């Protein structure tokens, strides 16, 4: 069954090319990927991300329970602060990558990937049932109660401040407010900006206000296509492409989200610790292709001598850097910056260089 | 609804063909460029290459997808639009004009009979949109 977000009609009215993604009909692009991508890098772009899922943990042990479920730490942060992390299985592989918003000591709001909403909720419920009573913590799938609009770009803060009549410039990165609205300084594009969570019936009003007030700033509605090229330039993982239940949080380069010394540990800690101690067999790396060609998910990587040493997980042509880029898992021996590898692009060997992530960093 | 130009013939693979005696100019349709999104690479055959009807003769690649190009007729490639290699975006902006891809000399112009008229292609697009 394919669902529609509260903004479906306006996407169609704007001439968006639609597609099915994560169980929802979503806009792929409106005016064109290049134009939308550049709008986010240079001005401001808005994204309908209402398809994302939201799971809420409530109760006196909400923080402790969240800490046990995820790689990162919500106990050592403030109310109004958020963290990015991985939900891991006992073997250290990734169920999902999520952002946890600490609303209070008894209330954690977790944004999960659209495609994983039901899986994540079931996983969380099952884990909690083995360790906590309902009086200690409960989990609710609140996804249907929330629409979400991302406003991203150098002019995003200015625009959203104007619309709400508040000054968001002092809102720190990965912090959020809940009045006058749930506005978080987070994003998936590598630019400054916010993600706004709001009731579905308010989404259309906000979307139109943003487009109207943002006209003078050069605002563009942006689809999933440029969302992908933006996040890839920013070196951010896409679940299903770069991370999944066969990739460990360490291999995927998410070790920085792991707070090893959390009280009570976390699901997957032992397996990840063992992996860390014995050394990783492969690493997710960034690649810059040295010749024409787009490396796509699944394309094989070869060494100079023709040995298969890995595979591409995501690839595109970087609109900002104007050359092809990719992320790939590669055998650890070849994972150092500057190593030359070869991507098999439909039978043609194209040279690529291992580079540090991200490919693009906002100045 | 995408643009279907008069005076051309169309294949099920969303290519167009313009006949001028035994010289056939070939490109992709507006529907095809729209479905692809921003085109970034075009791979075309060399002059002199022999093409076989319905076989792959090249590739058009967008950020999102790789699409094979299929020969709507058999024949020898006598001209290639090299300009598309440096300006692939022309495929999006002018699919029927500046983004012509190859010119082929056909031996058997009867092969053109299998292609669709503009009306038949328009109807075909309506059918597949359902």
């Amino acid at each position: 069954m394919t669902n529609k977000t509260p903004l479906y009609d306006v996407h169609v009215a704007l001439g968006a090319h639609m597609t099915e993604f994560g169980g929802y009909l979503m806009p792929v692009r409106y005016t064109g990927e290049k134009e939308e991508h550049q709008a986010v890098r240079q001005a401001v772009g808005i994204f309908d991300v209402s398809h994302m899922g939201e799971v809420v943990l409530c109760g006196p042990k909400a923080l402790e329970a969240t800490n046990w479920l995820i790689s990162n730490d919500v106990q050592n942060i403030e109310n109004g602060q958020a963290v990015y992390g991985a939900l891991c299985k006992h073997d250290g592989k990734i169920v999902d990558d999520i952002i946890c918003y600490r609303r209070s000591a008894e209330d954690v709001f977790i944004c999960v990937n659209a495609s994983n909403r039901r899986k994540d909720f079931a996983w969380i419920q099952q884990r909690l049932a083995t360790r906590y009573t309902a009086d200690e913590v409960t989990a609710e799938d609140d996804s249907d109660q929330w629409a979400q609009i991302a406003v991203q770009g150098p002019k995003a803060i200015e625009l959203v401040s104007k619309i709400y009549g508040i000054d968001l410039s002092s809102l720190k990165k990965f912090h959020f407010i809940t009045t006058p609205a749930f506005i978080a300084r987070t994003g998936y594009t590598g630019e400054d900006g916010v993600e706004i969570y709001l009731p579905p019936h308010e989404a259309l009003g906000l979307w139109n206000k943003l487009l109207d007030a943002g006209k003078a700033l050069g605002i563009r509605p942006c689809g999933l296509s440029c969302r992908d090229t933006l996040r890839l330039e920013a070196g951010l993982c896409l679940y299903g492409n770069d991370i999944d239940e066969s990739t460990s949080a360490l291999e995927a380069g998410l070790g920085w989200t792991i707070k090893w010394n959390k009280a009570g540990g976390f699901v997957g800690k032992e397996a990840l610790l063992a992996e860390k101690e014995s050394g990783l067999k492969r690493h997710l790396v960034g690649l810059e292709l040295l010749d024409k060609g787009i490396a796509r998910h699944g394309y094989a990587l070869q060494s100079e001598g023709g040995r298969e040493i890995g595979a591409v997980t995501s690839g595109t042509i970087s609109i900002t850097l104007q050359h092809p880029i990719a992320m790939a898992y590669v055998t650890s021996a070849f994972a150092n910056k500057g190593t030359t590898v070869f991507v098999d692009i439909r039978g043609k060997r194209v040279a690529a260089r291992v580079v540090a992530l991200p490919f693009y960093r906002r100045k | 609804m995408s643009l279907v130009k008069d005076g051309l013939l169309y294949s099920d693979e969303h290519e167009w063909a313009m006949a001028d005696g035994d010289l056939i100019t070939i490109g992709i349709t507006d529907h095809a460029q729209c479905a692809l999104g921003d085109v970034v690479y075009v791979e075309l055959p060399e002059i002199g290459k022999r093409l076989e009807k319905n076989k792959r003769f090249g590739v058009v690649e967008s950020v999102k997808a790789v699409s094979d190009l299929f020969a709507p007729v058999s024949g020898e490639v006598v001209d290639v639009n090299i300009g598309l290699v440096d300006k692939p975006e022309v495929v999006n902006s002018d699919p029927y004009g500046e983004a012509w891809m190859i010119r082929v000399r056909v031996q058997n112009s009867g092969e053109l009979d299998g292609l669709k008229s503009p009306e038949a292609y328009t109807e075909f697009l309506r059918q597949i949109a359902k």
Side-chain angles (χ1 to χ4, degrees):
Chain A
M1 216 234 341
T2 313
N3 296 305
K4 291 180 181 174
T5 72
L7 296 170
Y8 174 82
D9 289 338
V10 77
H11 298 319
V12 173
L14 287 169
H17 190 99
M18 305 295 285
T19 194
E20 192 265 319
F21 184 82
Y24 285 82
L25 285 169
M26 300 297 291
V28 175
R29 61 181 175 270
Y30 302 79
T31 49
E33 291 108 348
K34 263 186 211 157
E35 194 185 316
E36 294 166 29
H37 183 114
Q38 281 166 342
V40 171
R41 290 270 177 259
Q42 290 159 19
V44 56
I46 52 174
F47 299 82
D48 175 9
V49 278
S50 303
H51 61 320
M52 303 287 276
E54 291 86 8
V55 176
V56 178
L57 264 58
C58 269
K61 297 235 169 142
L63 296 183
E64 184 193 302
T66 305
N67 267 24
W68 180 63
L69 289 167
I70 72 168
S71 58
N72 214 320
D73 191 336
V74 293
Q75 279 183 311
N76 257 356
I77 62 174
E78 319 165 292
N79 293 343
Q81 196 174 345
V83 295
Y84 169 74
L87 208 56
C88 292
K89 298 190 291 175
H90 296 288
D91 60 5
K93 316 257 192 219
I94 303 171
V95 175
D96 203 4
D97 65 331
I98 76 258
I99 296 186
C100 296
Y101 300 81
R102 176 178 160 159
R103 294 197 292 198
S104 79
E106 302 206 358
D107 182 353
V108 181
F109 181 97
I110 306 176
C111 184
V112 304
N113 281 300
S115 54
N116 291 330
R117 167 208 171 161
R118 298 198 197 282
K119 176 182 80 161
D120 288 3
F121 183 57
W123 169 260
I124 288 170
Q125 279 189 311
Q126 285 157 17
R127 293 301 101 233
L128 293 182
T130 68
R131 205 160 142 121
Y132 298 99
T133 66
D135 289 332
E136 292 174 319
V137 61
T138 57
E140 298 290 331
D141 179 352
D142 282 356
S143 307
D144 291 337
Q145 294 169 36
W146 294 99
Q148 193 187 347
I149 296 175
V151 187
Q152 301 279 303
K155 307 230 163 90
I157 293 292
E158 178 190 336
L159 175 61
V160 180
S161 294
K162 181 161 155 210
I163 288 190
Y164 285 95
I166 54 175
D167 179 14
L168 287 167
S169 58
S170 55
L171 182 64
K172 289 189 276 195
K173 253 209 103 175
F174 268 86
H175 282 71
F176 62 96
I177 54 174
T178 50
T179 56
F182 188 159
I183 303 174
R185 203 157 183 174
T186 51
Y188 192 51
T189 61
E191 290 305 322
D192 192 10
V194 296
E195 293 175 308
I196 305 171
Y197 294 86
L198 68 174
H201 67 268
E202 291 178 13
L204 184 58
L206 177 61
W207 181 269
N208 286 332
K209 258 197 211 145
L210 286 161
L211 281 183
D212 196 48
K215 217 177 272 176
L217 300 172
I219 195 168
R220 287 286 182 276
C222 297
L224 292 180
S225 206
C226 82
R227 188 168 166 77
D228 192 41
T229 51
L230 288 161
R231 69 92 191 166
L232 188 45
E233 284 183 351
L236 300 170
C237 290
L238 173 63
Y239 195 89
N241 267 29
D242 315 297
I243 51 178
D244 58 33
E245 293 195 8
S246 74
T247 64
S248 90
L250 287 170
E251 289 174 337
L254 300 185
W256 66 271
T257 72
I258 300 176
K259 301 297 186 275
W260 299 99
N261 298 321
K262 281 188 288 185
F266 63 94
V267 177
K269 179 183 174 180
E270 287 71 31
L272 288 166
L273 213 44
E275 193 184 350
K276 188 168 160 199
E277 255 129 52
S278 68
L280 301 183
K281 294 206 182 68
R282 58 179 189 164
H283 284 83
L284 185 67
V285 299
L287 295 176
E288 274 182 358
L289 272 69
L290 302 173
D291 205 347
K292 280 192 170 164
I294 293 183
R296 296 183 190 271
H297 182 82
Y299 285 9
L301 291 191
Q302 294 172 0
S303 64
E304 179 107 38
R307 208 160 37 99
E308 197 155 308
I309 55 171
V312 177
T313 57
S314 291
T316 191
I317 195 156
S318 166
I319 290 162
T320 306
L321 305 169
Q322 304 199 334
H323 58 247
I325 56 175
M327 289 192 347
Y329 281 102
V330 72
T331 312
S332 296
F334 294 87
N336 297 312
K337 264 190 311 182
T339 308
T340 300
V341 298
F342 294 84
V343 185
D344 178 355
I345 297 186
R346 300 187 305 278
K348 198 172 90 160
R349 262 162 68 96
V350 177
R353 182 174 46 222
V354 176
V355 297
L357 292 169
F359 300 98
Y360 162 86
R361 194 175 259 124
R362 159 178 106 240
K363 288 169 191 67
Chain B
M1 199 54 192
S2 61
L3 175 70
V4 177
K5 200 172 160 196
D6 270 335
L8 305 177
L9 296 170
Y10 295 85
S11 76
D12 285 358
E13 303 298 339
H14 307 289
E15 279 114 13
W16 56 262
M18 186 179 73
D20 180 13
D22 66 349
L23 219 51
I24 315 293
T25 307
I26 293 161
I28 67 169
T29 67
D30 185 46
H31 170 91
Q33 73 77 16
C34 190
L36 281 166
D38 291 337
V39 173
V40 293
Y41 293 131
V42 183
E43 262 173 48
L44 299 173
E46 281 172 358
I47 291 178
K49 181 130 168 81
R50 287 214 53 86
L51 300 189
E52 211 183 298
K53 186 180 159 97
N54 294 332
K55 289 267 154 74
R56 185 181 158 292
F57 73 84
V59 174
V60 60
E61 191 167 8
S62 69
V63 174
K64 286 280 104 183
V66 187
S67 212
D68 285 328
L69 297 166
F70 295 96
V73 292
S74 308
E76 186 191 330
V77 179
V78 296
D79 203 358
V80 175
N81 188 354
I82 305 287
L84 285 184
V85 172
D86 289 325
K87 294 187 74 185
E89 62 271 17
V90 171
V91 176
N92 298 114
S93 58
D94 194 8
Y96 294 114
E98 233 188 287
W100 68 271
M101 292 184 173
I102 56 173
R103 286 198 177 105
V104 173
R105 193 180 304 281
V106 292
Q107 284 172 308
N108 175 15
S109 49
E111 283 183 340
L112 294 168
D113 295 344
L115 299 177
K116 293 180 157 67
S117 67
E119 295 76 28
Y121 180 62
T122 303
E123 183 52 36
F124 176 62
L125 289 179
R126 232 175 249 135
Q127 289 297 323
I128 57 177
K130 291 207 183 108

